[in-house]
Amino acid sequence: MNIQAVKVIYKYEMLRTWHTLFQSIASPVLSTALYFIVFGSAIGSRIQAVDGVSYGLFIVPGLMMLSLLTQSVSNASFGIFFPKFTGTVYEIMSAPISFFEITVGYVGAAASKSLIIGVIILITASFFVDLRIEHPVWMVTFLILTCVSFSLLGFIIGLWANDFEKLQVVPLLIITPLVFLGGTFYSVSMLPPIWQNITLFNPVLYLVSGFRWSFFEVSDVNVGISLAVILLFLAICSAIVWWMFKTGYRLKQ
Amino acid sequence: MSAIISISNLSKTYEGGFQALKSINLDIRTGEILALLGPNGAGKTTLISIICGLVSPTSGTVTVSGFDIIQDYRQTRREIGLVPQELSLGAFEKAWDTLRFSRGLFGQKPDDVYLEQLLKDLSLWDKKDNELRTLSGGMKRRVLIAKALSHEPKILFLDEPTAGVDVELRKDMWDIVNKLRDSGVTIILTTHYIEEAEQIADRVGVINAGELLLVDDKDKLMKGLGRKQLIIELKDPIDKVPESLDSYAIELADDGQELIYTYDTQGKSTGITSVLQDLHAAGLTMKDLNTTQSSLQDIFVHLVQDNKSNA
């Protein structure tokens, strides 16, 4: 295994975060703080407790998921799209490195960045609400699985996109609506029955629900199903990345 | 000399049906400078890209130091450095950082002493902390060479290295290439500047329309295939070539002041004696005689034209 290559890709990608510190870290933290002020304090104070959890506290896992999903996708997609755009990807493709190692380098860095952002948001949230985490190990497990699987999805988008528009279109038109409609700011039980059934087709629901369970032991769906769905999603994304490299999709002619 | 790269029956057909390479067979010798000449779209970059792992071959095999480029890609790619045609570099990273990145990517442990020497050799040391976007085109080209050499490869591919480079830098570039050859690196370059191939290469390969038309030692090629011209300066200018000289490949030049006779050095006889005799019989008086050896460019143009007319 070419450990040196994985290390330099990882380090290069992490360094990029410091070059764009505001965009990478300050921006999600600021937007989360605004969500807390608007939804948690201003509007939340007029909403009754959900499943016995105050509304301000209830939205913490959902807000973290909102940032984790969008940041994982955007970091990983940009990380591999940019070398394609500038042409420097030739160096990666001609190096003695396997697709697995390339993926570990890029996806590992993108997932690490999301994890850091997740932790920062958690700390930010602690200034607004009295945090409690019932199952810290499961919380960390869901956190890591989400960061890795959505970084893989971002990596796929970055490999697939051949212009900036395509790079933006999936996060904007698919990820964001799915996150907002996946129970980020509400419990599914608050929806009319027909919408409850439709929401069950939204994979993000399972992530938010499982994650929320690890905090408060309240969930919209069984936590086992949540875990199974995220593992299935991880497997599908891994298989797609494997196929893309095997066929050289948009990388190799 | 042993072959460091062996290419057998290599073909490439792109999606859409364009056949870029047609059953190429070529052995590249250890330590040589091989220049690949060919017009745009001839298949030069495709050939390089397949060996480096950027393009998948349709059929055929390539081995580097005895290893297959697909099965044993880790071994083969470690030995190869590639300088691409385009100035493909990041914008905001520093020259020093990009070199360390390249070295690590090829599986080598950091070696700042080697990289420092490399930057000094390429006159880049004072630019090591500059962001790449601030460098001139020539400096960027040097950075690309430094990146390609950062992992101490045995083989260096230079794809059109002097395209868009000024005369001074071009000279520097060839000095660098010569030094590398002296250090034992095998160099394969593609170029449009035939005179450079003529100056620097040990062997020359001519590619056209996906076919390798010939590969030969440069000197032998020029001697063997070289056409020579006998330039006859006349004392008095003439309007047309006399009919008695029609059977020769003679052209009138310089407003009738010169006759140019082209002959093949490989032919049984050059025909010079009879040309001169017939010239005398036609009543023409010579002022001066001169011969010129055809350049690699002439040979190249000739080969490509023959290839087109045979197609």
Side-chain angles (χ1 to χ4, degrees):
Chain A
M1 184 153 168
N2 189 347
I3 299 286
Q4 288 295 336
V6 177
K7 262 163 65 176
V8 290
I9 293 175
Y10 183 87
K11 204 173 146 194
Y12 180 89
E13 282 300 297
M14 292 308 280
L15 270 176
R16 206 162 51 81
T17 310
W18 306 120
H19 291 152
T20 54
L21 194 65
F22 185 80
Q23 186 197 332
S24 301
I25 289 177
S27 164
V29 170
L30 182 70
S31 60
T32 310
L34 289 173
Y35 276 122
F36 274 120
I37 293 166
V38 175
F39 290 102
S41 304
I43 298 172
S45 59
R46 292 162 185 258
I47 299 174
Q48 59 189 8
V50 184
D51 296 331
V53 180
S54 74
Y55 187 70
L57 192 58
F58 179 84
I59 62 169
V60 171
L63 275 180
M64 280 180 74
M65 276 292 163
L66 176 67
S67 284
L68 290 181
L69 300 194
T70 49
Q71 286 300 313
S72 297
V73 169
S74 88
N75 278 327
S77 60
F78 195 78
I80 189 66
F81 174 78
F82 202 63
K84 276 174 54 188
F85 179 71
T86 57
T88 54
V89 76
Y90 85 89
E91 202 177 18
I92 292 155
M93 297 308 294
S94 64
I97 178 169
S98 68
F99 89 90
F100 177 73
E101 290 152 2
I102 297 174
T103 309
V104 169
Y106 279 103
V107 172
S112 302
K113 275 186 245 181
S114 303
L115 266 176
I116 294 168
I117 290 166
V119 171
I120 293 174
I121 291 172
L122 202 61
I123 295 166
T124 312
S126 69
F127 291 107
F128 293 92
V129 289
D130 286 327
L131 268 181
R132 69 167 207 266
I133 302 168
E134 299 287 345
H135 303 284
V137 175
W138 281 110
M139 192 278 275
V140 172
T141 308
F142 273 110
L143 196 64
I144 293 172
L145 281 174
T146 305
C147 290
V148 172
S149 52
F150 275 78
S151 293
L152 270 171
L153 176 67
F155 195 62
I156 292 167
I157 294 167
L159 286 170
W160 163 76
N162 46 14
D163 57 41
F164 276 98
E165 198 187 350
K166 282 183 180 163
L167 194 68
Q168 300 290 346
V169 82
V170 175
L172 211 63
L173 296 183
I174 298 175
I175 308 291
T176 307
L178 284 180
V179 175
F180 272 87
L181 299 173
T184 310
F185 295 105
Y186 55 83
S187 166
V188 177
S189 60
M190 294 158 83
L191 296 172
I194 179 135
W195 281 105
Q196 285 189 29
N197 290 330
I198 291 171
T199 306
L200 290 176
F201 290 97
N202 180 355
V204 176
L205 167 77
Y206 299 88
L207 303 183
V208 174
S209 173
F211 198 47
R212 189 171 281 139
W213 172 85
S214 69
F215 277 76
F216 318 122
E217 281 191 324
V218 294
S219 61
D220 288 322
V221 287
N222 184 287
V223 66
I225 297 174
S226 285
L227 192 64
V229 167
I230 192 166
L231 287 172
L232 178 69
F233 185 65
L234 184 70
I236 292 170
C237 288
S238 304
I240 294 172
V241 171
W242 174 81
W243 172 82
M244 283 177 134
F245 274 98
K246 191 177 156 58
T247 57
Y249 180 80
R250 289 198 174 159
L251 281 172
K252 213 171 177 179
Q253 289 173 304
Chain B
M1 212 181 285
S2 63
I4 193 163
I5 299 177
S6 284
I7 301 165
S8 315
N9 301 317
L10 188 69
S11 296
K12 174 66 188 178
T13 306
Y14 285 105
E15 268 178 47
F18 174 67
Q19 193 173 10
L21 293 178
K22 297 170 188 165
S23 199
I24 301 278
N25 288 290
L26 172 67
D27 276 353
I28 298 169
R29 299 168 187 164
T30 308
E32 74 171 338
I33 299 181
L34 174 71
L36 290 173
L37 292 176
N40 284 332
K44 305 183 299 284
T45 301
T46 299
L47 180 61
I48 287 182
S49 300
I50 288 176
I51 302 170
C52 294
L54 300 175
V55 170
S56 303
T58 307
S59 62
T61 56
V62 180
T63 59
V64 176
S65 295
F67 294 106
D68 183 82
I69 55 158
I70 294 169
Q71 301 297 325
D72 316 307
Y73 70 96
R74 285 189 197 268
Q75 282 94 334
T76 63
R77 293 186 194 176
R78 257 179 231 277
E79 301 206 354
I80 295 173
L82 167 66
V83 183
Q85 195 171 336
E86 304 295 328
L87 292 175
S88 306
L89 282 171
F92 301 103
E93 56 200 295
K94 292 173 181 171
W96 180 250
D97 293 335
T98 197
L99 242 66
R100 288 182 58 120
F101 174 80
S102 298
R103 186 175 169 87
L105 202 59
F106 280 75
Q108 295 277 44
K109 287 191 172 151
D111 183 347
D112 290 352
V113 176
Y114 170 76
L115 293 184
E116 182 179 334
Q117 192 54 48
L118 184 61
L119 284 179
K120 283 177 178 167
D121 289 346
L122 289 162
S123 311
L124 279 171
W125 182 240
D126 58 333
K127 308 278 185 205
K128 75 180 175 73
D129 292 322
N130 289 32
E131 285 187 359
L132 296 173
R133 70 194 166 116
T134 64
L135 299 180
S136 66
M139 284 296 166
K140 283 181 180 164
R141 183 74 67 185
R142 284 168 193 258
V143 171
L144 283 173
I145 295 178
K147 275 167 81 72
L149 293 172
S150 65
H151 62 283
E152 302 167 57
K154 288 184 192 163
I155 302 160
L156 183 66
F157 283 94
L158 296 153
D159 196 5
E160 301 281 353
T162 52
V165 163
D166 64 38
V167 178
E168 201 175 334
L169 182 64
R170 200 178 296 168
K171 194 180 160 296
D172 282 359
M173 200 84 81
W174 297 135
D175 287 344
I176 294 164
V177 169
N178 268 324
K179 273 188 202 163
L180 283 170
R181 193 257 302 268
D182 292 344
S183 69
V185 177
T186 305
I187 295 156
I188 298 98
L189 61 94
T190 66
T191 179
H192 277 113
Y193 300 101
I194 297 169
E195 68 275 19
E196 287 174 353
E198 205 169 321
Q199 278 172 24
I200 203 162
D202 299 313
R203 287 200 305 158
V204 175
V206 178
I207 298 186
N208 189 43
E211 287 179 70
L212 190 62
L213 302 182
L214 87 121
V215 188
D216 212 338
D217 288 348
K218 182 190 67 189
D219 296 337
K220 212 166 138 193
L221 186 71
M222 293 187 62
K223 267 187 205 151
L225 279 177
R227 283 159 187 257
K228 281 188 104 173
Q229 287 187 325
L230 173 68
I231 298 158
I232 304 152
E233 203 179 324
L234 299 172
K235 196 177 172 207
D236 302 308
I238 54 172
D239 295 331
K240 62 188 280 280
V241 179
E243 279 178 19
S244 58
L245 297 172
D246 272 354
S247 56
Y248 302 106
I250 287 185
E251 288 169 60
L252 199 57
D254 197 19
D255 291 333
Q257 201 78 51
E258 278 180 2
L259 286 172
I260 300 174
Y261 169 55
T262 306
Y263 59 96
D264 195 338
T265 53
Q266 275 191 316
K268 274 185 184 170
S269 106
T270 59
I272 294 174
T273 315
S274 52
V275 165
L276 294 179
Q277 278 170 353
D278 289 348
L279 206 71
H280 183 69
L284 298 177
T285 312
M286 288 175 279
K287 192 177 167 189
D288 200 1
L289 285 176
N290 196 8
T291 60
T292 58
Q293 174 88 44
S294 59
S295 68
L296 200 52
Q297 169 133 14
D298 302 326
I299 298 167
F300 169 71
V301 169
H302 220 81
L303 274 167
V304 171
Q305 276 172 353
D306 283 355
N307 183 237
K308 270 186 191 159
S309 56
N310 291 339

